[in-house]
Amino acid sequence: MLEGVLNRLGEYGNPLPRFAAPRCLLERQAVGGCDACHTTCPHGAIQLGPLGNSIQIDPALCTGCGLCVQVCPSGALEYDLTPTLQTVRDAGQAGEATLTCSQSGAGGPTLPCLGRVTPAVVAAAGAWGTPLTLIHGGCSVCPVGAPDVPGRVERVVEEANHLREATGRPAEATVRPATPEDQDRAVRVSRRGAFATFLRAGRQQVAQAIPERPLPFVDWSVPGERTPEEWRWRARSLKPDPAPDAGVFWPAPLVDDSCIDCPVCSNVCPTEAITRELKPEGGVRLLLNLSACTGCMACVRSCPPDAMHPQEEWLPAAFHAPILIRESDSVM
């Protein structure tokens, strides 16, 4: 039995985030590019490629903290959200959920770093009506994350609640440091969860580390996989349903009449949320799949005539079908 546990242990740990190159703004050659992951990584594990149009992750330096995933504007970097979401939902059935960093010493479900917490996780907890406590350790000296992780997580909570404003029910999320009492926090093991065995200080301990495995490569031929899991869960978390006239915070582009009908916006879109159709009778139609838009605004920055501009709020009906944002009778 122990051998089986240790074999499974090798499948977990802190894998690198999945990198989906078609979603990267560098790969898409968007104007201005993006170096958010490179500048955010506290360990120098992410470098820009030699031509500046790709990224490279050094597995020897990556700690799996997730801070690069937090800041990636297009979902090109991501971890599997399913185990974390399942943990939060299962714990919520008992009244409250906690997520704690691996360095805090607190009991309960553990992530390598609270940098793994994204707006989708907090928004989903709000949709389920589950109070969520996020417990961190001594971030100023942490070897996994960075000193400013608590502030980053506070901003994640703010972003999640900005999204949830339309539902009228904010997420109850608290970010706080660990206390001595947290060491005795009850560990609830989900039926769907798993546990990993760690050897520390010469003795064996059982910790409730949320299990994870590296995600498979994105199959770009499947349209559903082009949208990052983060944004799919943000859309699912709009519960209870917003009123028909409520504005949902979801930054996405609109097009004005100065558009010259070129293909740049659809070419740079990292999730192909913008599609360009040539009409049989001549002309162009631009369609926006709002649920697939990550709000990266690569299209706005790259538009040659500056015809695109962001709109921050949309009516709930806009999520149900592609939106016609431009139609013309000519084509460039």
Side-chain angles (χ1 to χ4, degrees), residues 91-176:
Q93 294 174 359
E96 180 187 11
T98 66
L99 294 173
T100 180
C101 79
S102 62
Q103 306 297 302
S104 68
T110 303
L111 294 167
C113 174
L114 291 189
R116 293 286 192 96
V117 178
T118 63
V121 173
V122 178
W128 297 325
T130 300
L132 177 62
T133 301
L134 303 168
I135 303 173
H136 62 83
C139 297
S140 62
V141 294
C142 179
V144 178
D148 62 346
V149 163
R152 289 173 181 265
V153 179
E154 292 279 8
R155 290 193 290 275
V156 164
V157 172
E158 291 175 4
E159 186 175 353
N161 274 330
H162 206 171
L163 170 66
R164 291 199 53 76
E165 282 178 3
T167 70
R169 191 172 75 188
E172 298 179 51
T174 303
V175 182
R176 66 168 177 82

Side-chain angles (χ1 to χ4, degrees), residues 201-217:
R203 62 190 178 91
Q204 191 175 42
Q205 296 180 343
V206 177
Q208 191 171 354
I210 296 175
E212 59 183 342
R213 297 187 186 186
L215 288 166
F217 288 109

Side-chain angles (χ1 to χ4, degrees), residues 16-306:
L16 302 178
R18 175 172 69 176
F19 175 57
R23 293 190 196 134
C24 181
L25 300 188
L26 293 177
E27 297 270 353
R28 285 282 180 172
Q29 299 183 3
V31 170
C34 179
D35 64 353
C37 59
H38 168 68
T39 58
T40 295
C41 179
H43 308 290
I46 302 179
Q47 298 296 324
L48 302 184
L51 300 179
N53 61 353
S54 64
I55 68 165
Q56 298 173 348
I57 305 176
D58 187 339
L61 296 177
C62 178
T63 64
C65 67
L67 293 175
C68 58
V69 173
Q70 270 190 0
V71 301
C72 181
S74 61
L77 291 167
E78 57 184 339
Y79 284 108
D80 186 5
L81 292 177
T82 305
T84 302
L85 290 166
Q86 188 65 57
T87 297
V88 171
R89 186 162 193 176
D90 287 354
Q93 294 174 359
E96 180 187 11
T98 66
L99 294 173
T100 180
C101 79
S102 62
Q103 306 297 302
S104 68
T110 303
L111 294 167
C113 174
L114 291 189
R116 293 286 192 96
V117 178
T118 63
V121 173
V122 178
W128 297 325
T130 300
L132 177 62
T133 301
L134 303 168
I135 303 173
H136 62 83
C139 297
S140 62
V141 294
C142 179
V144 178
D148 62 346
V149 163
R152 289 173 181 265
V153 179
E154 292 279 8
R155 290 193 290 275
V156 164
V157 172
E158 291 175 4
E159 186 175 353
N161 274 330
H162 206 171
L163 170 66
R164 291 199 53 76
E165 282 178 3
T167 70
R169 191 172 75 188
E172 298 179 51
T174 303
V175 182
R176 66 168 177 82
T179 65
E181 291 76 17
D182 289 319
Q183 295 180 11
D184 299 324
R185 180 175 291 274
V187 176
R188 301 184 181 93
V189 181
S190 159
R191 288 177 297 175
R192 301 183 186 181
F195 66 90
T197 301
F198 292 90
L199 300 177
R200 291 176 180 163
R203 62 190 178 91
Q204 191 175 42
Q205 296 180 343
V206 177
Q208 191 171 354
I210 296 175
E212 59 183 342
R213 297 187 186 186
L215 288 166
F217 288 109
V218 173
D219 185 349
W220 204 253
S221 67
V222 179
E225 291 197 22
R226 298 171 193 170
T227 304
E229 187 181 25
E230 168 72 18
W231 276 267
R232 293 201 299 267
W233 270 102
R234 290 189 192 190
R236 291 172 188 157
S237 299
L238 287 170
K239 302 292 181 181
D241 293 333
D245 59 348
V248 178
F249 180 75
W250 195 284
L254 281 178
V255 186
D256 63 34
D257 290 338
S258 63
C259 175
I260 59 175
D261 300 314
C262 74
V264 170
C265 58
S266 60
N267 288 346
V268 301
C269 182
T271 58
E272 299 190 0
I274 298 177
T275 53
R276 180 176 181 265
E277 297 180 354
L278 296 178
K279 300 192 295 184
E281 67 276 15
V284 173
R285 299 173 79 239
L286 278 184
L287 298 170
L288 171 67
N289 179 356
L290 188 62
S291 295
C293 179
T294 69
C296 70
M297 299 304 161
C299 54
V300 174
R301 296 195 306 272
S302 301
C303 180
D306 292 327

